[in-house]
């Protein structure tokens, strides 16, 4: 799971994009990489989020699970 904090300015956007393109996740305060098969995210207020590019309605909690399908 890769969490990306909303950048506050153009410099942070540039750093995020640069680090993503280089595969650098540990040196950027705006990137959080968690290796896990499932995660639950809870917030104090409703937020809009995306998963795989698909936008969700505003929610205050979400469960994300990696679904492994066997190859044919």
């Amino acid at each position: 799971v890769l969490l990306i904090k909303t950048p506050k300015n153009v410099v942070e956007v540039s750093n995020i994009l640069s680090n993503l393109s280089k595969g650098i996740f540990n040196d950027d305060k705006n990137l959080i990489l968690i290796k896990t098969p499932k995660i639950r995210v809870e917030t104090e207020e409703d937020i809009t989020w995306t998963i795989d590019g698909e936008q969700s309605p505003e929610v205050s909690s979400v469960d994300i699970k990696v679904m492994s399908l066997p190859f044919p």
Side-chain angles (χ1 to χ4, degrees):
V1 176
L2 177 61
L3 303 174
I4 304 173
K5 294 180 184 178
T6 302
K8 296 178 183 170
N9 54 52
V10 176
V11 173
E12 286 187 358
V13 171
S14 177
N15 289 339
I16 289 170
L17 293 175
S18 176
N19 288 333
L20 284 173
S21 69
K22 296 175 187 174
I24 299 172
F25 305 108
N26 296 333
D27 294 336
D28 192 320
K29 64 180 180 178
N30 292 315
L31 301 175
I32 302 169
L33 181 64
I34 304 168
K35 294 182 180 183
T36 182
K38 62 182 178 178
I39 188 169
R40 179 174 183 82
V41 178
E42 297 181 0
T43 61
E44 292 179 6
E45 56 188 63
D46 288 353
I47 60 169
T48 301
W49 60 280
T50 62
I51 185 165
D52 294 336
E54 295 183 26
Q55 188 135 354
S56 79
E58 290 189 355
V59 293
S60 61
S61 67
V62 64
D63 293 302
I64 301 171
K65 182 177 177 183
V66 176
M67 304 294 289
S68 298
L69 298 175
F71 287 100

